[in-house]
Amino acid sequence: MIIRGGIIYDPTNGIFGEEMDLCIEKGRVVEDAKGEEIDARGLLVMPGGVDAHSHIAGGKVNTGRIMRPDDSRSGVEPRTRVCRPSTGYTVPNCYAIGYRYAKLGYTTAFEAATPIISARHTHEELEEIPIVDKGALTLFGNNWQVMESVRDKDIAKLSAFIAWGLRAARGYGVKIVNPGGGEAWGFGSNVKGIHDTVPNFDITPADIIRGLAQANEMLRLPHSIHLHFNNLGKPGNYATAIETLELLKDIKPSRMRQVVHVAHMQFSAYGGTSWRDFESKAPAIADYMNQNSHATMDMGQLLFGSATTMTADAPLEYSNARLTHNKWSNLDLELEEASGVVPMIYFRKALVNAIQWAIGLELALLTKDSWKVLMTTDHPNGSPFVNYPEVISLLMSKPKRDAEMATLHEQVSKRTVLANVDRELDWGDITVMTRAAPARVLGLEDKGHLGIGADADIAIYDLKPEDVDPSMDYQLVKKAMATTKYTIKSGLIVAKQGEILAVPEGRTYWVDASVPKADMDRLMIDLNEKFEKYYSIRLSNYMVQDAYIPNPAVIKAGLELESGSLVKEVA
Amino acid sequence: MIVHEDVICSFCGCLCDDLTVEVEDNQVKRVKHSCRLGASKLMGHDRIKTPMIRQNGELTEVSYQEAYDKAAEILLRAKHPLLYGWASTVCEAQKKGILLAEEVGGILDSTATVCHGPSVIGIEEKGLAGATLGQVKNRADLLVFWGCNPAEAHPRHTLRYSSNVCGKFTSEGRKCKKVIVVDVRETRTSKNADKFIRLKPGSDYEVISALRMILSGKAEILPDEIGGVSKAELISLVELLKSAKFGALFFGLGVTHSRGRYKNIDNALSLIAELNAQTKFIIQPMRGHYNVAGIGQVAAWETGFPMAIDFSRGMPYFNPGETAACDVLARQDTDAALVIAADPASNFPRSVVEYLAKIPVIQIDPHENPTTFLADVVIPSAVAGIEAEGTAYRMDGMSLRVKKIVESSYPSDEEVVHNIIASVRRLRSNVIVEGGT
Amino acid sequence: MTAHYLASDNLFKRKDVVVITKAIMISGRTLAQGAGCESKMTQEYFQAVSICSFSEADYKSLVQAEEKNVLIRSRFGQAVLSARMDSGLPEGIIFIPMGPWANVLVGPDTGGCGMPQYKGVEVEVEATASKVLDIRALFSDIGRIEA
């Protein structure tokens, strides 16, 4: 296949809007190819989108579907020749997730939080999501074994547990959510800061975060730790954010990447002492990000309208339910985690919501280096991912932001600086934030770019960058970004002008990290005891079996590998 | 002899995964650690021998292919077929069932409809604050069994997960726990209780409302007796609930089958949410069939809805009370039924069964049962968890992979449904070709 | 159980005076019912499920020595069951294991939520000399006669 005459954005390879042909063969970008030609003359061409933080599969997502028939009833679309029916808006069914990502030009999406014990469920859903490649981050921040190894300052054993946990869950990386808080929630409390003591474990959230970061680097995992801060969603929590980032400054990354990725920073960039004097601290966070280079973040942009909040931060969801008097689901997971789900509507006329909306945009616009900021809505916490075009058009157009601001509470311009931010992102920035940076942050070497050998995941938009001024033509931008002219996945046209043409099965990435046998043997003594005494499931029934990963893409990591050598097997 | 360890029991929603099963000559000879229900299932029962089609009133032996084709013909001929059951089979079969329902424009419903369907509707109203069974084991010091009788329906629940097990913060086991049973009658479960509260039948809603009022400080406006229970006793019950470090309420069909149905559950879920302002409290339905939770999960991720899904419009439509199995049968709004891993002839109200008897019925099941009396096509299948592997969801939503421990000549439910889909597609394309010529 | 009255002949087709009592029927799981639910054609299942339990007082007042069976009728149907005593039951409440015999008494109304009311069914009970129908007989009037 040859894509002729597109205006290519490929920031990883230093290409920003050059007219080039792209050749594809056997699912990869190659020097030269024959066959079908796609006329993309003058059109915007990017690598397929990569979503590094999205709640798309597993217990929480399905709980959202079950408790929200109102949501499932919206967005209903019938079967077609190739498609199963679609349902839902904030919590779409599996098929809709795949089709809608593909129509947006996204070809990879990572589920953001999977407890090991319920990973089988996550993979059952991932398998049903068509088209996109996927993976799932694994939760470690409230796990008894983690906390005990941290308490014993046994980073080697902790590394062995991470390797074991990633294998058990067929997980991709180390996710940490409100460390220590999930354990405290087991008896209905929470931790209040990173130096608070976790009940019954004689350690602090700071100990857990540092321990997991050290082990993550000891294992040379492709992704860094992926952190949902303590105190998330609370006024004044920007101090916790900066205090936590300071904690990790001295840790050396084992790969060319960040040491920590901060999930949905919008929810952790809050000032004020209560919702009454709530204000943006995005400028302080952006300053910190500008002065330091060990961290990346994703926006967690909030948009007005319906959302479904879902997180392993169970105490937060309980607070959400109390605050909104909305329905509330919770699931505590033995020895490992907790979680909660609460539907939410963000109101344009609610001052707090309007400030939250502004904070996400401020973070992206005030952080100078686009490579440090991934565009997300923390789907479906801030808004469903189908609204990415709205976020893109906001980031690219000051007039659009001004028009929006004019509809909001007057206090928004006092409690945020957004009105004074003139920066407008260009197509290069957008390509970085939606493709190149997420792939780099995750450590997916063949994603997010269009160099020779890259996966032939390509989005062609019906928009001529040379003719369109995104600042003024923001409606055009939003419309064009909502539906690709072509989405190509592994060299196959999967969507054309909003119609799904093919539904290949995507691959599932997981990380197989090796550790010294002696450490694994020591670990298994601990784990055997836990399964004998405390788990309600036997060890032999616990691990996710091969049957649940029909199309695996295994990335090797671990202690026995030479530095920098990365073996990738695609079965 | 082969000894299989850590076998998962595919009987009830406890999904106990610690059974030892001895197999000799491809037959289960001995089952250890299981309860009577699990042992009965694993030791096996008389089987339907071959596929059958009813001819001149008699079920007559046919080949599997003939049975698949006949089933497909019935489903294609029907305007609004019902595909019912799905609880005592694995998720892999359920997924195929949803695809089949889509292809024939039918209604898919599960046995939850006559079990914890009202609980699901309650969750739609209020959400559910739950925990895995291991969390309960390790932490719960107060257990309430409301309208459920695990001693007879989930015999190992108390021993593995709840009142009579030791865990990390419950190392003294039964001694460090309080057990409360609320029911309309004394049961084997209530004999294990520290406190038994007897309600009048059908008064769950009033009693839960009273507890919520006491909890919110409005006890003074309550009458002296609610649902057969004295106000003083309810006040002391609330004190007990509040005193727990970790409370867990398990409820069963006593609540979902009684007057008020889903409103009882809605109310109970609200009570638990409100208790969390005082202490830690969770609530869980006691799911019956081993994978009835699974069909809810699979249906939700595939269609957005957990049960009672009507595909006749080409896309999922969900409205229990309209699209649930008993409703469509009572309304005579379905003209054929595929029944898999269930026995509606026994378990539905008689007048509903009388209509089921009037429409063509396809049965997929390992065992003969009264639904066989009504069936026009009978397709015997392998028993999942013994003769076929696959995924099942425990009552708390944890999934496990049930195992195959003996070989079987019967096709799995997944294969049966897959083959019916193939027949449907082939017959339909034949019709299209014929139509075109 | 309190309401005792004379049955009219046309209701119960018996010439003698019988004691009719009103009760609330609940159906539910039992161990034996569960153990038999995949072997419903067996005598064990029949014995486990075609029974009705009464409180001690109700049992004594209702069940005569020579007639261990009871006829139970609701608005929706009637069934003959074998009577048992269960000291855990309060007076006025009878229990039948879930299954086809209990469901003869259950109505189709789901109250708009898909679920029939399997518990709390108002019934009348009388002792009877009639036999309990076995599982085939129970379905003989609605089973298939022709394809």
Side-chain angles (χ1 to χ4, degrees):
Chain A
M1 180 189 288
I2 306 168
I3 299 167
R4 293 274 185 210
I7 308 299
I8 311 283
Y9 281 85
D10 182 9
T12 306
N13 296 302
I15 296 166
F16 293 90
E18 292 175 34
E19 185 182 326
M20 288 167 63
D21 292 346
L22 277 175
C23 296
I24 298 166
E25 210 168 82
K26 292 186 181 137
R28 298 200 171 258
V29 178
V30 293
E31 295 272 10
D32 215 355
K34 289 194 178 67
E36 184 182 2
E37 297 206 358
I38 292 176
D39 180 4
R41 271 175 298 177
L43 299 181
L44 176 65
V45 177
M46 295 176 178
V50 178
D51 201 335
H53 188 108
S54 184
H55 298 271
I56 52 173
K60 291 191 294 291
V61 181
N62 227 26
T63 294
R65 296 184 186 109
I66 291 169
M67 71 193 279
R68 296 207 64 183
D70 54 317
D71 190 87
S72 291
R73 286 184 181 115
S74 54
V76 177
E77 297 167 60
R79 276 166 69 82
T80 70
R81 192 177 51 80
V82 290
C83 292
R84 306 286 296 270
S86 291
T87 59
Y89 175 58
T90 68
V91 280
N93 63 339
C94 292
Y95 308 117
I97 290 172
Y99 307 149
R100 290 176 191 169
Y101 265 127
K103 288 178 194 177
L104 285 179
Y106 273 68
T107 47
T108 305
F110 272 51
E111 159 57 38
T114 295
I116 307 172
I117 194 171
S118 65
R120 196 168 3 257
H121 178 169
T122 303
H123 286 292
E124 280 217 280
E125 291 195 29
L126 287 177
E127 186 187 337
E128 291 296 305
I129 298 175
I131 303 174
V132 296
D133 287 338
K134 50 242 166 178
L137 302 178
T138 307
L139 287 158
F140 284 96
N142 290 287
N143 190 295
W144 289 2
Q145 183 63 48
V146 168
M147 292 191 290
E148 287 171 11
S149 298
V150 167
R151 182 195 60 204
D152 300 343
K153 299 188 168 43
D154 192 342
I155 299 299
K157 195 196 273 181
L158 180 58
S159 301
F161 180 67
I162 291 173
W164 181 88
L166 291 176
R167 170 165 276 277
R170 304 302 174 108
Y172 187 81
V174 176
K175 179 74 184 296
I176 308 168
V177 173
N178 185 17
E183 169 54 29
W185 183 245
F187 284 117
S189 66
N190 196 0
V191 290
K192 294 182 179 63
I194 62 170
H195 300 301
D196 212 355
T197 302
V198 181
N200 303 309
F201 284 88
D202 197 24
I203 50 162
T204 65
D207 297 333
I208 299 172
I209 296 165
R210 267 191 74 85
L212 284 169
Q214 286 165 344
N216 195 93
E217 299 317 314
M218 189 182 264
L219 286 170
R220 290 198 279 271
L221 299 182
H223 188 34
S224 66
I225 59 166
H226 191 122
L227 181 57
H228 164 132
F229 288 134
N230 298 101
N231 286 331
L232 186 135
K234 291 183 188 147
N237 65 8
Y238 84 105
T240 306
I242 290 175
E243 194 183 13
T244 309
L245 289 172
E246 279 293 288
L247 209 60
L248 298 164
K249 232 171 155 178
D250 65 317
I251 294 176
K252 288 206 165 48
S254 58
R255 290 174 184 258
M256 289 289 285
R257 56 151 168 74
Q258 73 286 354
V259 172
V260 54
H261 177 77
V262 180
H264 36 69
M265 184 66 99
Q266 180 273 127
F267 290 108
S268 289
Y270 298 165
T273 57
S274 74
W275 295 114
R276 223 177 276 274
D277 62 353
F278 182 64
E279 61 175 353
S280 168
K281 282 290 180 184
I285 297 284
D287 277 353
Y288 187 90
M289 296 297 283
N290 289 334
Q291 284 161 29
N292 293 279
S293 54
H294 65 296
T296 56
M297 62 183 175
D298 61 81
M299 291 166 69
Q301 178 64 30
L302 177 151
L303 294 171
F304 304 116
S306 184
T308 300
T309 64
M310 54 180 66
T311 171
D313 194 340
L316 170 71
E317 291 296 12
Y318 178 67
S319 307
N320 281 346
R322 298 266 287 176
L323 201 66
T324 60
H325 304 286
N326 212 331
K327 48 190 167 185
W328 168 54
S329 283
N330 176 85
L331 186 68
D332 291 6
L333 297 119
E334 60 205 64
L335 291 85
E336 295 186 8
E337 271 302 336
S339 63
V341 185
V342 174
M344 192 76 82
I345 297 173
Y346 299 117
F347 294 98
R348 193 176 281 276
K349 292 298 175 194
L351 176 58
V352 167
N353 293 161
I355 294 169
Q356 291 176 304
W357 171 86
I359 289 172
L361 298 172
E362 288 178 315
L363 287 168
L365 295 164
L366 295 174
T367 302
K368 289 174 187 151
D369 182 357
S370 308
W371 286 90
K372 290 180 179 172
V373 193
L374 317 185
M375 195 203 74
T376 69
T377 56
D378 186 17
H379 165 88
N381 283 285
S383 185
F385 68 80
V386 289
N387 293 324
Y388 286 171
E390 169 73 7
V391 183
I392 291 170
S393 60
L394 284 164
L395 292 173
M396 298 187 85
S397 169
K398 167 78 168 154
K400 173 162 172 130
R401 296 197 295 268
D402 288 343
E404 286 288 309
M405 291 281 277
T407 70
L408 304 178
H409 197 290
E410 56 175 19
Q411 281 284 319
V412 176
S413 56
K414 298 196 173 72
R415 305 218 201 159
T416 76
V417 301
L418 186 63
N420 305 323
V421 179
D422 294 329
R423 186 176 174 203
E424 293 179 327
L425 301 189
D426 61 22
W427 289 117
D429 296 318
I430 296 299
T431 312
V432 169
M433 291 171 65
T434 57
R435 280 84 174 151
R440 182 179 288 181
V441 164
L442 285 172
L444 294 171
E445 297 189 331
D446 299 334
K447 300 280 185 199
H449 73 100
L450 297 170
I452 302 302
D455 288 347
D457 299 347
I458 300 163
I460 305 171
Y461 293 97
D462 198 2
L463 180 145
K464 295 191 169 170
E466 281 159 23
D467 299 347
V468 174
D469 172 8
S471 176
M472 299 313 295
D473 303 332
Y474 51 81
Q475 283 167 325
L476 248 171
V477 167
K478 184 177 169 183
K479 183 164 177 286
M481 297 311 286
T483 311
T484 58
K485 183 149 192 192
Y486 293 96
T487 302
I488 294 161
K489 168 69 182 40
S490 301
L492 182 70
I493 299 174
V494 291
K496 183 179 176 186
Q497 289 170 324
E499 188 188 350
I500 298 295
L501 298 182
V503 285
E505 292 171 6
R507 291 172 293 185
T508 299
Y509 285 85
W510 70 276
V511 172
D512 185 7
S514 52
V515 290
K517 187 175 177 302
D519 292 337
M520 192 56 84
D521 290 346
R522 289 194 303 127
L523 170 71
M524 289 319 292
I525 294 169
D526 289 10
L527 289 182
N528 281 323
E529 190 194 356
K530 287 192 173 63
F531 278 92
E532 282 303 319
K533 285 185 172 172
Y534 305 134
Y535 270 106
S536 66
I537 293 173
R538 303 285 293 168
L539 177 57
S540 67
N541 289 317
Y542 180 86
M543 316 280 283
V544 173
Q545 294 88 349
D546 288 341
Y548 297 92
I549 323 285
N551 303 299
V554 187
I555 296 186
K556 300 273 188 190
L559 295 170
E560 286 162 17
L561 282 175
E562 288 302 308
S563 167
S565 84
L566 184 65
V567 185
K568 182 175 164 188
E569 292 168 5
V570 178
Chain B
M1 187 181 73
I2 307 163
V3 179
H4 297 271
E5 303 282 353
D6 296 344
V7 170
I8 300 168
C9 174
S10 59
F11 188 88
C12 84
C14 282
L15 225 54
C16 298
D17 74 335
D18 61 342
L19 275 55
T20 300
V21 179
E22 296 176 5
V23 173
E24 204 171 321
D25 300 330
N26 201 38
Q27 284 202 320
V28 175
K29 292 289 180 201
R30 198 160 168 221
V31 181
K32 292 183 193 163
H33 312 309
S34 84
C35 69
R36 182 175 157 197
L37 301 175
S40 166
K41 168 138 189 176
L42 279 150
M43 295 302 290
H45 303 288
D46 277 352
R47 302 289 287 270
I48 301 171
K49 299 285 185 290
T50 67
M52 295 178 285
I53 293 176
R54 196 173 293 276
Q55 288 166 342
N56 304 319
E58 293 295 318
L59 284 172
T60 312
E61 198 175 305
V62 294
S63 72
Y64 269 99
Q65 193 56 51
E66 286 171 290
Y68 297 144
D69 287 347
K70 182 70 181 172
E73 188 193 315
I74 289 171
L75 292 170
L76 281 172
R77 193 164 284 172
K79 288 196 172 66
H80 203 203
L82 170 68
L83 293 83
Y84 173 78
W86 309 106
S88 282
T89 189
V90 289
C91 297
E92 289 74 6
Q94 296 165 351
K95 289 179 202 174
K96 299 269 186 204
I98 291 166
L99 180 60
L100 177 60
E102 278 177 31
E103 300 222 350
V104 300
I107 293 176
L108 184 128
D109 199 9
S110 78
T111 63
T113 200
V114 291
C115 193
H116 275 285
S119 307
V120 174
I121 301 174
I123 292 165
E124 288 167 359
E125 299 289 317
K126 289 286 152 58
L128 179 143
T132 66
L133 294 168
Q135 181 83 332
V136 172
K137 159 179 159 169
N138 286 311
R139 296 184 199 260
D141 58 345
L142 178 81
L143 296 130
V144 183
F145 295 101
W146 190 310
C148 62
N149 184 11
E152 305 218 35
H154 302 90
R156 295 183 75 214
H157 189 279
T158 51
L159 298 169
R160 272 174 62 80
Y161 307 126
S162 56
S163 56
N164 294 46
V165 65
C166 300
K168 174 111 170 161
F169 303 110
T170 54
S171 55
E172 302 282 303
R174 179 68 183 82
K175 273 188 279 178
C176 65
K177 303 180 188 195
K178 283 218 162 52
V179 179
I180 300 165
V181 170
V182 183
D183 210 321
V184 298
R185 61 184 178 118
E186 285 174 48
T187 61
R188 289 191 204 184
T189 301
S190 69
K191 290 188 173 68
N192 179 40
D194 299 300
K195 191 179 181 73
F196 171 61
I197 295 176
R198 191 202 302 276
L199 309 184
K200 283 185 185 160
S203 61
D204 303 78
Y205 190 88
E206 291 100 294
V207 173
I208 297 165
S209 298
L211 294 174
R212 292 179 65 193
M213 289 175 74
I214 294 166
L215 192 61
S216 61
K218 293 175 187 138
E220 76 280 1
I221 54 174
L222 285 171
D224 291 338
E225 187 233 279
I226 303 104
V229 191
S230 76
K231 177 166 145 182
E233 186 159 19
L234 292 177
I235 289 173
S236 78
L237 175 59
V238 169
E239 287 309 311
L240 206 52
L241 299 179
K242 281 159 65 177
S243 74
K245 279 179 75 184
F246 185 116
L249 188 152
F250 293 95
F251 66 97
L253 305 186
V255 196
T256 65
H257 277 179
S258 297
R259 191 166 69 99
R261 288 169 272 203
Y262 77 95
K263 281 291 178 190
N264 298 334
I265 312 304
D266 177 323
N267 216 4
L269 296 171
S270 301
L271 170 67
I272 298 306
E274 287 157 11
L275 271 167
N276 273 277
Q278 313 269 348
T279 184
K280 175 82 182 185
F281 230 102
I282 67 101
I283 179 167
Q284 286 289 346
M286 299 284 260
R287 307 304 300 266
H289 291 292
Y290 79 91
N291 198 26
V292 69
I295 180 63
Q297 295 288 343
V298 172
W301 78 57
E302 304 231 330
T303 75
F305 305 108
M307 58 187 186
I309 309 152
D310 186 349
F311 292 96
S312 62
R313 294 160 176 83
M315 52 193 127
Y317 171 78
F318 163 76
N319 190 25
E322 178 191 349
T323 55
C326 283
D327 296 302
V328 289
L329 288 166
R331 209 170 58 237
Q332 309 199 349
D333 188 18
T334 176
D335 51 356
L338 179 147
V339 175
I340 178 166
D343 179 18
S346 292
N347 295 325
F348 282 2
R350 180 70 169 201
S351 63
V352 168
V353 179
E354 284 169 9
Y355 180 69
L356 185 66
K358 291 179 182 150
I359 61 175
V361 173
I362 303 151
Q363 181 188 36
I364 304 166
D365 208 288
H367 308 108
E368 186 183 11
N369 59 39
T371 299
T372 317
F373 302 154
L374 317 180
D376 301 285
V377 181
V378 176
I379 305 175
S381 61
V383 181
I386 302 173
E387 299 164 343
E389 61 181 344
T391 317
Y393 282 72
R394 205 165 69 176
M395 60 167 72
D396 58 353
M398 293 298 98
S399 77
L400 289 165
R401 187 165 186 80
V402 301
K403 296 167 188 172
K404 176 178 180 172
I405 49 175
V406 300
E407 292 298 324
S408 163
S409 57
Y410 292 105
S412 67
D413 290 326
E414 181 188 2
E415 286 174 78
V416 170
V417 182
H418 176 87
N419 288 327
I420 293 175
I421 292 170
S423 288
V424 162
R425 288 178 177 171
R426 201 184 63 249
L427 290 177
R428 178 173 276 155
S429 68
N430 289 349
V431 169
I432 291 166
V433 170
E434 283 164 23
T437 51
Chain C
M1 287 194 239
T2 49
H4 292 222
Y5 59 93
L6 296 177
S8 66
D9 288 354
N10 61 349
L11 254 181
F12 290 96
K13 294 175 183 163
R14 284 178 62 164
K15 299 280 184 252
D16 54 333
V17 173
V18 291
V19 178
I20 310 280
T21 53
K22 292 195 173 192
I24 298 293
M25 187 281 284
I26 53 178
S27 60
R29 295 186 198 283
T30 68
L31 256 184
Q33 166 270 327
C37 74
E38 292 187 342
S39 54
K40 289 195 175 119
M41 300 302 127
T42 60
Q43 188 65 17
E44 288 79 12
Y45 181 72
F46 173 74
Q47 284 169 354
V49 177
S50 63
I51 59 175
C52 178
S53 301
F54 294 84
S55 71
E56 203 172 331
D58 287 340
Y59 186 85
K60 284 177 179 160
S61 78
L62 189 78
V63 180
Q64 277 86 58
E66 68 274 22
E67 290 180 6
K68 292 289 186 198
N69 288 348
V70 284
L71 174 73
I72 305 178
R73 62 188 277 138
S74 74
R75 276 175 59 203
F76 309 103
Q78 60 181 37
V80 175
L81 293 161
S82 168
R84 299 292 147 89
M85 195 169 73
D86 177 350
S87 59
L89 276 168
E91 285 178 47
I93 298 179
I94 64 170
F95 177 87
I96 307 176
M98 63 181 280
W101 286 271
N103 288 330
V104 169
L105 305 168
V106 175
D109 179 32
T110 75
C113 74
M115 172 67 85
Q117 194 177 316
Y118 288 100
K119 298 188 205 289
V121 180
E122 290 176 9
V123 294
E124 292 173 346
V125 186
E126 65 172 294
T128 180
S130 302
K131 277 183 136 181
V132 180
L133 295 181
D134 70 26
I135 198 155
R136 288 180 190 279
L138 191 66
F139 285 88
S140 62
D141 58 332
I142 62 168
R144 280 291 138 82
I145 22 177
E146 54 184 65

